[in-house]
Amino acid sequence: MAYTDDAVKAKLSSLNETQESIVSVSQWIMFHRRHADRTCAIWLERMRETTVNKRLTLIYLANEVVQQSKARRKDDFLVAFSPVIAEATAAAYKGSTNDIQEKIRRTVEVWSQRRIFDKPIQEAVEARIQELDKSRSGKKSGLLGGSLFSGGSTSSAPSELQPLIPLQQAVSKANATSNPARSTANAEYEKLADAAKSTPTPPVHAARLSALLKSLSSAESAVAESIKTRQDLVNGLESLLATNRTALENDQAQLDTIRERHKTTEKRKREVEAAIMRGASASAESASPATEGESQAQHVNGRAATSSVEPERPKVEELTPPPTEFFTPTNSPKFEGRELPTNAANHHIESGVNDQALHHNSTTEPPQTIGPFSSTKSGISPYPRSSDPRISAPLGGGPSAKKRKLDAEFEGFGAGEDAMAGLDEDVAELLRAESGGAV
């Protein structure tokens, strides 16, 4: 079927609420998408003239067309429906039952969720429905709990933008009215001015011209209203822009002032810190004279640092040798410090050599001594030297050592006399025999 106004009207008249009918008509309309503007204009006229129950079906038809266009990325009908969808939705919503209104709100909510239309168009549709809900006595807007039209609520916008919201809504409403009127007037004018078509009879031609004048007048009024509302919006935007420009200049001046004050304060802070450092240095110098070993003020990396004098070293007592008793064997006899005779010293050295020879073959070597005790391997006596002849000889030196000790201690005792004088001859002989004839 060729595309004509009558064909479009016939398709819309045969439309019903079944899914097959809505899909069939929508496919035919989308096939002729180059006539999208004219189709939308006829659809809006049919929306105004039809009954209340038929309007919901037309809303479903528009929903099918725009969603299919969005899915196929064909914007012809999205652009064509955008100017008229707010007015058409309000016409279908007004005077309908609660059941139909609920279905229309559900459809508008789907458009919002899937972002079928641009945000201003969506907000215009929701605003028109809210106005109708407010105008109904005893009912409030937001019957869906505010989930549907919360995005278009004016309470969420900043206070500076509140005056612009009604202006934008008025522009959307004016566009919804002016665009179909302009499209209809242009289509009728092109149709009537087509030279290829035959000229009708004068009465028919005059009637068509009258209808064209009426369409042109309606389009002119609608476009003039759209211009007026848009001019008001531009004035509001310019006023907001001028306010923000003035605020911007004030903010810039405040920023310059704050930066200058910041620099001045920072400079003053450095001066105060330098004065504090100089005062601290002067007080340190005046408190203690500059003598050797006293604190001196130093400046390290711009900061004053004080170095204190090292304290005097403590006096340490010199190391003293241990007492002589430390080297004296336990239970040794005390002596009075008499000088050792020369012959006794010689006997002491010889005795040490003899003792070394006697003990050389022993399995266990005598321990080495420390300090005044000499090593037995050197051939020197392991006993400390002393001037006392009683301890000059080594202990356990044999009969000869005992004899030398007796001679040293009792030197001059009974000199030139017989030691056995006065004894019994038998006893004296026995003693001489035991002593080997030494007595």
Side-chain angles (χ1 to χ4, degrees):
M1 181 184 296
Y3 182 86
T4 59
D5 293 350
D6 294 336
V8 176
K9 293 178 181 179
K11 288 289 185 181
L12 296 179
S13 299
S14 63
L15 185 66
N16 55 53
E17 295 182 358
T18 61
Q19 183 177 1
E20 293 78 4
S21 176
I22 293 174
V23 172
S24 176
V25 175
S26 66
Q27 289 178 353
W28 185 87
I29 290 176
M30 292 180 63
F31 179 78
H32 299 282
R33 62 176 179 274
R34 59 179 178 175
H35 304 285
D37 293 338
R38 183 56 185 168
T39 302
C40 290
I42 298 174
W43 175 83
L44 180 60
E45 292 178 1
R46 184 66 178 176
M47 180 71 71
R48 295 171 180 170
E49 297 172 356
T50 190
T51 59
V52 175
N53 295 333
K54 191 72 173 183
R55 292 173 182 174
L56 179 60
T57 307
L58 294 176
I59 292 293
Y60 285 162
L61 176 63
N63 177 64
E64 180 68 20
V65 172
V66 295
Q67 291 207 46
Q68 290 296 330
S69 300
K70 187 76 171 181
R72 299 177 184 180
R73 298 183 179 179
K74 303 296 183 181
D75 297 337
D76 299 0
F77 281 98
L78 291 174
V79 175
F81 271 109
S82 294
V84 301
I85 192 65
E87 181 182 357
T89 304
Y93 191 84
K94 184 178 181 180
S96 301
T97 61
N98 293 335
D99 187 20
I100 295 177
Q101 289 182 351
E102 183 69 23
K103 293 179 181 179
I104 293 175
R105 282 196 296 268
R106 178 57 185 167
T107 304
V108 175
E109 185 178 3
V110 171
W111 295 345
S112 177
Q113 292 175 352
R114 300 183 180 180
R115 299 179 180 179
I116 301 299
F117 297 102
D118 295 337
K119 187 175 181 179
I121 304 301
Q122 183 68 31
E123 290 178 353
V125 174
E126 295 173 358
R128 295 294 294 271
I129 294 179
Q130 284 182 343
E131 291 177 0
L132 294 174
D133 286 336
K134 290 179 181 179
S135 63
R136 297 177 62 179
S137 59
K139 293 187 179 181
K140 298 181 180 179
S141 62
L143 297 179
L144 296 181
S147 61
L148 177 58
F149 307 133
S150 59
S153 177
T154 59
S155 60
S156 61
S159 59
E160 294 81 1
L161 300 179
Q162 291 290 343
L164 299 178
I165 295 177
L167 298 178
Q168 180 62 46
Q169 293 176 352
V171 169
S172 300
K173 183 178 180 180
N175 287 335
T177 304
S178 63
N179 289 338
R182 184 175 61 249
S183 300
T184 302
N186 292 333
E188 290 181 0
Y189 178 81
E190 291 175 0
K191 183 179 179 180
L192 188 60
D194 191 2
K197 295 182 179 180
S198 59
T199 305
T201 58
V204 175
H205 190 59
R208 290 181 177 179
L209 291 175
S210 299
L212 178 58
L213 289 174
K214 184 178 179 181
S215 298
L216 291 175
S217 298
S218 177
E220 181 181 359
S221 301
V223 172
E225 183 65 23
S226 177
I227 292 174
K228 180 181 178 181
T229 55
R230 194 174 296 277
Q231 186 63 42
D232 294 339
L233 178 60
V234 170
N235 293 336
L237 291 173
E238 289 179 351
S239 176
L240 180 62
L241 181 60
T243 303
N244 283 274
R245 282 179 177 173
T246 304
L248 178 61
E249 294 176 358
N250 294 335
D251 292 344
Q252 188 65 39
Q254 291 292 331
L255 179 61
D256 296 339
T257 304
I258 291 174
R259 285 179 176 174
E260 185 65 25
R261 292 178 177 178
H262 183 273
K263 293 180 180 179
T264 304
T265 305
E266 187 175 3
K267 181 179 179 181
R268 183 180 299 179
K269 178 176 176 291
R270 289 197 297 267
E271 293 175 355
V272 172
E273 288 179 349
I276 292 174
M277 296 302 173
R278 289 194 298 269
S281 176
S283 61
E285 292 178 357
S286 61
S288 56
T291 58
E292 183 179 359
E294 294 182 352
S295 301
Q296 298 178 355
Q298 299 178 353
H299 293 277
V300 181
N301 296 330
R303 294 184 179 179
T306 344
S307 61
S308 57
V309 180
E310 183 179 359
E312 296 182 0
R313 297 181 179 274
K315 295 182 180 180
V316 181
E317 185 179 359
E318 297 182 358
L319 181 63
T320 55
T324 310
E325 291 78 1
F326 179 77
F327 303 101
T328 304
T330 307
N331 300 326
S332 298
K334 297 182 181 181
F335 59 92
E336 298 178 358
R338 290 177 293 177
E339 293 294 333
L340 183 65
T342 305
N343 56 354
N346 295 332
H347 284 292
H348 173 72
I349 296 173
E350 293 175 357
S351 176
V353 173
N354 295 332
D355 293 340
Q356 180 183 8
L358 291 174
H359 295 280
H360 179 71
N361 296 327
S362 177
T363 57
T364 305
E365 295 183 1
Q368 297 182 5
T369 58
I370 302 174
F373 297 97
S374 301
S375 175
T376 57
K377 294 181 181 181
S378 63
I380 302 175
S381 174
Y383 300 96
R385 295 181 179 181
S386 176
S387 58
D388 193 345
R390 293 177 296 177
I391 60 173
S392 60
L395 299 178
S400 60
K402 292 181 180 180
K403 183 177 181 180
R404 285 194 299 269
K405 182 177 179 182
L406 291 174
D407 293 340
E409 290 184 357
F410 302 100
E411 184 179 1
F413 179 77
E417 296 182 1
D418 188 6
M420 300 299 179
L423 296 177
D424 187 69
E425 293 180 359
D426 296 334
V427 175
E429 186 65 25
L430 179 62
L431 292 174
R432 288 190 184 95
E434 289 180 358
S435 60
V439 181

